[in-house]
Amino acid sequence: MSVIRAHLTAEEAATLDAMSERVMRGLADVTQACREATKAAPSLQLQAAVASYIAHIAGQMIARAEFVALNAGGNEEAVHTLCGGAFNDGRDAAYAEVQKSGGLNAPTTGAPLQ
């Protein structure tokens, strides 16, 4: 992300920052809803259903990211590579955050991700 950000104008970077802030606030609500659902009924079936739902939403978000880049005139192969790499970077960052917060159980037990 920082490589792409380096090529943005100050105005574009500010737009990206504002969007990012709104998205992160929304994700905090999503994360809390998932925590509450899995805490209320922590069966393996519900855990799997919540995981499946979150992965489905992530897939939809990746597709929307690709649509943005494709509609801007991006080459399909380059767009898939860029978005796939960004997805992997995001997943790696999330795992690193979880490890700092106390291990893999932290996101589903209500422990804050800082």
Side-chain angles (χ1 to χ4, degrees):
M1 186 68 199
S2 61
V3 172
I4 294 171
R5 187 180 182 81
H7 297 281
L8 298 177
T9 66
E11 183 179 345
E12 291 168 334
T15 298
L16 182 64
D17 288 344
M19 181 203 72
S20 178
E21 186 177 320
R22 288 183 62 202
V23 168
M24 293 311 291
R25 278 196 310 262
L27 284 177
D29 289 342
V30 170
T31 300
Q32 190 58 38
C34 294
R35 287 177 182 156
E36 290 170 5
T38 57
K39 191 174 184 180
S43 70
L44 180 58
Q45 292 84 353
L46 181 61
Q47 298 286 341
V50 169
S52 177
Y53 177 78
I54 294 167
H56 178 81
I57 296 300
Q60 288 184 337
M61 291 304 298
I62 288 171
R64 285 182 172 86
E66 290 173 344
F67 300 159
V68 167
L70 290 169
N71 287 336
N75 169 284
E76 188 169 352
E77 185 177 337
V79 166
H80 291 303
T81 299
L82 174 69
C83 291
F87 173 78
N88 288 332
D89 287 346
R91 181 174 35 200
D92 291 347
Y95 271 92
E97 285 267 335
V98 166
Q99 292 306 319
K100 282 186 353 189
S101 297
L104 197 52
N105 248 355
T108 59
T109 59
L113 291 177
Q114 307 267 331

